[in-house]
Amino acid sequence: MSRRVPCPLCWAMPAASQLLLPLCLGLLLPPRAPGCLDCFSTPQQRLRVCQFFLGHASSRHVACLGALQAAFLPHAQLVVVPYQVAVPEAVARIQPELAQLKPAPACVPPCGYQKDAQVYKCASCSRVECQLPLDCPVEDVWKNEGERTTLTCRVPFQTPPDVRHSWKFVKDLRTRDLSLFRDLHPGASSSIVLRPTRGSHRGTYACQLAQEDDVLARNYFYLNVTASSQGAETELQDMFRAVLQSPAGRGAEGRLPGLSELLAEPDSLHKRNVVLLMVGLALSALLGTLLLGGVCRWAMGRP
């Protein structure tokens, strides 16, 4: 059977750790406590500290103890006051520093991750952020076709100078669903310019503000494009030219088509052609009646 060999430091570590804790706390306290090395530790505890660092059988324990005494010697004349006095004094010392702290700015609605508005609550030891969504409401932009459109990505709170902008677009939809958008290139600046604005530009534009891995806010613009009067007049002129260039339009400019021409055209029994045929027959009948009446009167009037 194997036998464990005792480690000379294993028994000393618990006691050394019990001493290291008050010593470390003493070093972190205000400079009234470090002078009381003899008060808060025994000679045996100080020896175990040196044994912990130098080894149990080291011959330098005396030098180690002397180094400890020399380190605390400048504070030997300090006096530790009761906590009832020390705590109010500490509070009084930090009051001027607290008064110099600037208050955090208020959260600015309606949206955005506002880092500067975060506050730390000492009562709960927690950081409190603005409870606002990242997505801002959709803003309507109205433009006439042919005008210049400028969309600028702004938020009502202060942003860092290294903030990045990225633009997305979805055609003919008013939405904030990012899965429907496509990236715009280039879109790295805070503004985009449409010149001239066209009907194909109608839709929702999304601008995202980010710093490193944090998204600060998303702006949405829905661009409403109204057709200009000039565009409407051009469209009417094109329709008028198309009518004049059609076979029916060319017939209207010259003579009326004959009966054989009407019957020879495709869709000759179309409603329009039937009406023209009836009008032509009626005019022919009327003309024949007038000619026949004139001949009869002329014949009856002869001796």
Side-chain angles (χ1 to χ4, degrees):
M1 295 178 62
S2 62
R3 189 174 64 176
R4 295 183 179 178
V5 178
C7 173
L9 292 181
C10 293
W11 62 270
M13 287 182 63
S17 62
Q18 294 176 6
L19 176 61
L20 287 175
L21 180 60
L23 286 178
C24 294
L25 291 176
L27 291 173
L28 296 176
L29 290 174
R32 295 196 178 192
C36 300
L37 174 64
D38 295 335
C39 301
F40 295 112
S41 63
T42 64
Q44 186 63 25
Q45 289 175 332
R46 295 192 290 273
L47 176 60
R48 288 179 179 176
V49 171
C50 293
Q51 291 174 347
F52 177 78
F53 288 104
L54 302 176
H56 185 70
S58 176
S59 60
R60 294 183 295 170
H61 291 164
V62 176
C64 175
L65 293 174
L68 287 176
Q69 292 288 348
F72 284 94
L73 185 60
H75 309 286
Q77 302 301 321
L78 296 178
V79 178
V80 177
V81 298
Y83 71 91
Q84 295 91 340
V85 179
V87 172
E89 288 183 357
V91 173
R93 283 199 303 270
I94 66 173
Q95 284 292 347
E97 298 180 4
L98 294 177
Q100 295 177 3
L101 296 177
K102 295 182 179 179
C107 297
V108 182
C111 57
Y113 172 47
Q114 305 174 27
K115 290 185 176 182
D116 293 340
Q118 296 176 352
V119 295
Y120 188 87
K121 290 190 174 181
C122 297
S124 59
C125 297
S126 60
R127 184 177 60 184
V128 180
E129 301 175 352
C130 299
Q131 301 299 318
L132 297 173
L134 292 179
D135 292 330
C136 301
V138 181
E139 178 183 347
D140 280 289
V141 179
W142 299 88
K143 290 292 181 178
N144 293 322
E145 195 172 15
E147 293 182 346
R148 173 193 175 103
T149 300
T150 302
L151 303 177
T152 303
C153 196
R154 295 193 184 97
V155 287
F157 55 90
Q158 186 69 30
T159 57
D162 58 342
V163 66
R164 303 189 317 273
H165 300 82
S166 58
W167 288 87
K168 298 177 180 292
F169 172 68
V170 58
K171 180 177 171 57
D172 294 333
L173 290 179
R174 181 188 179 93
T175 180
R176 294 191 297 181
D177 186 356
L178 291 178
S179 63
L180 302 176
F181 287 77
R182 62 177 177 85
D183 293 331
L184 287 180
H185 302 286
S189 63
S190 60
S191 301
I192 58 174
V193 179
L194 305 175
R195 184 177 51 190
T197 304
R198 305 182 186 276
S200 58
H201 294 152
R202 183 184 296 107
T204 303
Y205 295 80
C207 172
Q208 177 174 288
L209 295 87
Q211 183 190 29
E212 297 180 353
D213 295 334
D214 295 329
V215 177
L216 303 183
R218 296 189 190 96
N219 279 345
Y220 295 87
F221 306 91
Y222 183 75
L223 180 59
N224 301 269
V225 181
T226 304
S228 63
S229 58
Q230 181 179 0
E233 292 176 0
T234 303
E235 184 177 357
L236 290 176
Q237 292 176 3
D238 294 340
M239 293 175 60
F240 183 70
R241 292 192 189 97
V243 171
L244 292 180
Q245 293 174 0
S246 64
R250 288 196 298 269
E253 292 182 20
R255 59 181 181 81
L256 290 175
L259 178 60
S260 59
E261 295 177 355
L262 289 175
L263 295 177
E265 292 181 358
D267 299 331
S268 58
L269 296 181
H270 191 270
K271 182 178 180 180
R272 180 176 178 277
N273 293 338
V274 172
V275 172
L276 291 176
L277 180 60
M278 293 177 63
V279 171
L281 292 176
L283 291 176
S284 300
L286 179 60
L287 182 59
T289 302
L290 292 176
L291 291 175
L292 182 59
V295 171
C296 292
R297 291 183 62 182
W298 177 76
M300 293 176 63
R302 294 182 62 183

